[in-house]
Amino acid sequence: MSQGIWELSFLVDKDGRILEGRGACSEHLGASLQSLIGRSIFSFISGEERPHFRRFMGQLHRPRAKRAALISLQTAGSIRPYAMEAQAGRTSDDHWLMFSRDTSNAEGLDELDLPVVMADEGQFLRLVELAAAQARESLDLTTIEIGGLSDTKRLAGMGVEAIAAFERSVGETLSGNAHDGILSNPSRGFYNLLHDPAKAGADIAQDLSAVATQHGISAQQAGIAHATMSVAPNTALSSIRESLGVMQKRMPGYQGWDPPAKARMSEGQIAAMLGIGAFLLGVIGIVVWLMA
């Protein structure tokens, strides 16, 4: 498809925030270009496609990334399909997304083999803040631990490939539940996701229990724990960070995230070290005396 027939184009950063745009935005999206700058492109993606779109965006840095797809945009009066193509932006952290109503030969997002995308913690917090700034109602933020993944000794008897398959299924389940696909994996077996309160954290944990059963893993082996907080519209980043930290510390395996503390020497060890030091100084003194 030649660039000459693109009807809309947006330069977006890795968080999905619109930096620049071109085209008849008012005609297609019912909003002026000026009003779109700084907003998330996700607000114009059909709700059921947003997790797929997050995965599409997250794989664009790969050498063999999928760069074209059929996507549904929430236009001024309805939801309309558009052909979309991603092109290189000005830096490695942004991309141009080009849209056309000519959808011939376009492949749907849900038909693409796209990897689950996990944001790093800094990006995750920014995405939650951005979603809260644009939300009309509260969202839920949930931290989940899968004990069988944070401590794979629980899964004794399962092969490496079987554990990896279970881990992929966990990621896909969480990605499907995450609001706009906003999901992070700060340490193996630990996940944070933003989601609609209509699907409670306990319900998501129950879905993961079902996933574990499908992989032949018992509830005790899976060791699923979760904690949930509400994120009100326009909640500050500092508050989100603080609350997330509190929830993470409630997880049974959280201590495994911290670097091991340096071992403290006992009084006996200190005395022994001092004695060895004094002995070595004495030997050095004798050597110096003999050489004099």
Side-chain angles (χ1 to χ4, degrees):
M1 184 178 291
S2 64
Q3 187 170 346
I5 64 172
W6 296 119
E7 296 167 280
L8 285 173
S9 58
F10 296 106
L11 180 67
V12 301
D13 65 16
K14 63 181 180 180
D15 296 337
R17 187 182 284 105
I18 298 173
L19 306 176
E20 294 183 29
R22 300 169 186 160
C25 297
S26 296
E27 175 188 344
H28 292 270
L29 302 179
S32 67
L33 173 58
Q34 185 177 5
S35 69
L36 298 181
I37 303 302
R39 291 181 61 179
S40 172
I41 188 68
F42 281 84
S43 60
F44 297 101
I45 307 298
S46 174
E48 62 184 15
E49 292 184 3
R50 290 177 184 177
H52 299 292
F53 182 69
R54 176 73 64 191
R55 295 167 73 166
F56 177 86
M57 292 291 294
Q59 54 89 52
L60 288 176
H61 67 283
R62 300 188 174 197
R64 298 184 179 180
K66 305 290 177 65
R67 296 193 170 273
L70 180 68
I71 194 165
S72 300
L73 295 183
Q74 297 182 1
T75 61
S78 61
I79 295 177
R80 178 183 295 172
Y82 284 77
M84 176 185 67
E85 183 176 308
Q87 299 181 5
R90 295 178 175 174
T91 73
S92 59
D93 288 334
D94 54 50
H95 289 85
W96 281 101
L97 298 180
M98 326 295 288
F99 299 91
S100 171
R101 282 177 288 192
D102 179 7
T103 60
S104 56
N105 300 320
E107 191 174 5
L109 276 172
D110 57 350
E111 298 171 322
L112 300 178
D113 182 17
L114 299 171
V116 173
V117 174
M118 302 287 180
D120 60 44
E121 285 305 274
Q123 184 189 22
F124 178 78
L125 289 168
R126 292 195 306 273
L127 291 172
V128 173
E129 180 189 33
L130 181 61
Q134 298 184 168
R136 296 181 179 178
E137 298 180 352
S138 294
L139 295 165
D140 276 357
L141 181 59
T142 293
T143 290
I144 290 177
E145 178 184 0
I146 311 294
L149 294 175
S150 58
D151 179 10
T152 54
K153 292 191 294 292
R154 288 173 174 261
L155 304 180
M158 290 185 67
V160 173
E161 292 185 1
I163 294 175
F166 172 50
E167 195 164 9
R168 283 194 301 273
S169 295
V170 166
E172 289 170 355
T173 300
L174 292 175
S175 178
N177 282 289
H179 174 80
D180 291 356
I182 299 175
L183 175 67
S184 72
N185 181 203
S187 182
R188 189 173 189 188
F190 295 88
Y191 302 88
N192 301 312
L193 73 155
L194 189 69
H195 59 97
D196 189 328
K199 183 71 173 285
D203 295 330
I204 295 173
Q206 187 62 42
D207 287 348
L208 294 173
S209 295
V211 168
T213 299
Q214 293 169 4
H215 286 265
I217 299 170
S218 68
Q220 183 177 4
Q221 288 176 304
I224 299 172
H226 78 279
T228 299
M229 61 167 276
S230 179
V231 180
N234 297 309
T235 299
L237 180 63
S238 58
S239 296
I240 297 170
R241 180 185 292 110
E242 181 180 0
S243 298
L244 182 62
V246 171
M247 290 197 303
Q248 289 175 335
K249 290 177 182 177
R250 293 179 187 171
M251 298 298 101
Y254 176 78
Q255 60 271 18
W257 297 17
D258 299 324
K262 293 181 179 180
R264 298 182 61 182
M265 297 178 66
S266 66
E267 292 183 2
Q269 289 174 317
I270 293 173
M273 290 295 294
L274 290 174
I276 293 171
F279 172 76
L280 291 175
L281 287 173
V283 170
I284 293 172
I286 292 172
V287 171
V288 171
W289 178 77
L290 290 173
M291 293 176 64

